[in-house]
Structures are given as structure tokens and as C-alpha cells.
Amino acid sequence: MTDTILVLGGNGKTGRRVAERLAARGTDIRIGSRNAAIPFDWNDPSTWKAAVADVSAVYITYVPDLAVPGAPDAVAAFTETAVGAGVRRLVLLSGRGEVEAQNAEERLRVVAEGAGAEWTVVRASWFAQNFNENFLIEPILAGEVALPVGDVKEPFIDVEDIADVAVAALTEDGHNGEVYEVTGPRLISFAEAVAEIGTATGREIAYVTVPMEAYATVLTEEAGLDGETVGFLTYLFTEVLDGRNAHLSDGVQRALGREPRDFSDFARDAAATGVWTA
């Protein structure tokens, strides 16, 4: 067994940062993606065994999200393959307030403990980076963000903090059996988040609350998203963002011994890159 760490979704928002941090430490890493030298595809279990061969630890991100039907079964099956190949440490990225995600967490725990492997869950709130690395960039550039979310508040988490927690769990002792629910240090609404981005960029950016049905129509007819993606976003906006997650958690503090980054810090640093420059 080597000290190689497999990073699933190594080109995604969290996986890329986890891989960069591990590489900076001199860790031997393997990127898990369909285009990697040793390909990995969640939809093709025949690729899993080679991907976990000679690997000591795995950072697990499920695409598109643990909330989708079938995710717990896939995570459990992958975990069985991993521990069967000798993987001794698993770190799963999960989501707050998602029943399917928590089912996947439990399935991973049962399989890992049954094989004597270590496991850690990083259960994250809404990513701050959704505003600068995802579907919200274009509306921000256009000067108006329209979403089916009203006054509900969310403790947006900076993905940099998620990556730091994941790397600690992958490389250090003392994190076995922990569920780190990671959030930012304060609750803000989407309208307040957009306003902070406006302040950071020196631009006027409006926020408009729209009905879910109208938003889904835009996603389908104008953005061209497929039915599965639209259904998932509908689930996020109508259920996960129904106020159930409008509270803070201390996962970053417990895992790292420091406070999480504030959304204003994220907005300032992102604005400095020019990503929101119209």
C-alpha cells in the first residue's frame, strides 16, 4: 500500500482545492475523473477498482449531488470497492439538510466501520463560490440576480475552508468518526449576499425574488438545462433553502481550531480577480 490519496471530482470546486493543497505538501495524488490517466466514472462501476488500487485514502464527492436518488447506493458500493482494495481512510463531502445525503453518510459509515476503515463527513452549507464559479456569474455580470429565494438566510461557506477541513481529515489523525458540519460565521440572505458583492465590485447589482415555476421555465427554455438538473435545483431552492439550515455550526472550528472565513472576505477576494467585472 502506498500513501497515494485519490481525489474524486479533482477538477471541481472542492476537489481542485483539495488536490492543490495535497500536492503542495508533496503528497502523491490521483485525480478521479473520466478523463484522468486512470479514469473514474460514478456511472461506470467497472472503473472504480483501478481508481482505488494502491490508494490509502479517498476524498469522495458525488456528482451531481448526494441529494439525487440512487446516491446512497452508489456511495455504499464505491466504499465497499475502496475498503476491499485496502483504502483505510475516507472523507465524504455532504450537504446540510438533505435526507438523501445523510442516508449516503450512514451507508458509508456502516461499510467503513465494518472493514475497520476510518471515515469523516464534511457536511457543507451553500458554497460562497456558487456566486463566482457557477451559474450565478452571468446574472451578476448582467446586474440583476433573480432567484426563487426570499428572506431565508444561509451561512454561506467558503470552499477554501471546506478544502482545509478535508485535507486535515485526509492527512491527520484525530478525525475518525467525525461529522464536521461546516458553515460561515454568520447568516445572510441571498439579497444581502448580492449586495455585498455589489459593494466589493463598486457596482449596482439588483436582487429579485421570482416564483419557482418561472425560474424553472427560464432554466429549461433559456438556459437549456436538462430535466434532471432543473429538478435538482428545484429541490434545493424549495426544500433545502426552506429555512431548515438557517443556523450556524462549528465544524470549521472543531476541525481546524480557527474561525471560518466571512462572506465579505470571499466577496472582496473574488472581486479582486475581476471575475465580476462587467
Side-chain angles (χ1 to χ4, degrees):
M1 179 60 59
T2 68
D3 292 325
T4 300
I5 295 179
L6 171 64
V7 180
L8 300 185
N11 298 316
K13 279 192 285 294
T14 67
R16 171 170 56 84
R17 290 171 168 86
V18 168
E20 289 171 352
R21 283 161 169 75
L22 292 173
R25 290 169 170 241
T27 304
D28 183 26
I29 60 173
R30 179 179 299 169
I31 300 299
S33 71
R34 284 175 293 184
N35 299 319
I38 301 176
F40 175 88
D41 187 344
W42 276 111
N43 295 316
D44 184 1
S46 69
T47 64
W48 300 355
K49 187 174 181 179
V52 298
D54 299 320
V55 163
S56 60
V58 183
Y59 176 60
I60 304 172
T61 60
Y62 184 80
V63 179
D65 190 274
L66 287 179
V68 304
D73 289 340
V75 168
F78 171 77
T79 303
E80 290 174 353
T81 299
V83 297
V87 172
R88 309 315 302 160
R89 184 172 289 176
L90 304 118
V91 178
L92 174 70
L93 177 66
S94 186
R96 293 176 101 207
E98 301 177 5
V99 173
E100 287 293 300
Q102 290 171 22
N103 287 341
E105 295 172 13
E106 177 64 11
R107 298 284 296 279
L108 177 139
R109 181 191 68 79
V110 169
V111 175
E113 290 182 353
E118 297 183 8
W119 63 272
T120 307
V121 170
V122 184
R123 188 186 291 166
S125 57
W126 189 280
F127 296 174
Q129 275 74 8
N130 283 331
F131 288 94
N132 72 324
E133 296 182 16
N134 208 318
F135 64 101
L136 293 175
I137 296 178
E138 291 186 8
I140 291 172
L141 289 173
E144 180 180 283
V145 177
L147 291 173
V149 185
D151 295 330
V152 65
K153 293 182 181 290
E154 175 74 11
F156 296 101
I157 181 72
D158 194 308
V159 172
E160 303 291 345
D161 285 337
I162 296 174
D164 285 342
V165 172
V167 168
L170 286 165
T171 61
E172 301 170 1
D173 294 331
H175 302 284
N176 182 34
E178 294 286 353
V179 177
Y180 292 125
E181 190 162 282
V182 294
T183 71
R186 62 188 171 106
L187 292 165
I188 60 175
S189 68
F190 277 77
E192 290 167 337
V194 170
E196 292 202 19
I197 292 171
T199 298
T201 58
R203 298 175 51 220
E204 291 288 335
I205 307 173
Y207 182 82
V208 179
T209 301
V210 298
M212 186 64 238
E213 295 77 9
Y215 186 66
T217 298
V218 170
L219 293 177
T220 302
E221 297 181 0
E222 296 184 20
L225 297 184
D226 60 82
E228 181 180 16
T229 301
V230 173
F232 169 63
L233 290 173
T234 298
Y235 165 77
L236 286 181
F237 285 120
T238 57
E239 295 193 41
V240 177
L241 289 171
D242 62 357
R244 72 182 68 180
N245 292 320
H247 60 275
L248 305 180
S249 298
D250 63 353
V252 173
Q253 294 91 326
R254 290 196 298 114
L256 303 176
R258 65 164 175 80
E259 292 297 310
R261 296 187 77 217
D262 190 75
F263 188 86
S264 60
D265 297 323
F266 154 75
R268 180 199 63 230
D269 292 347
T273 69
V275 68
W276 295 316
T277 301

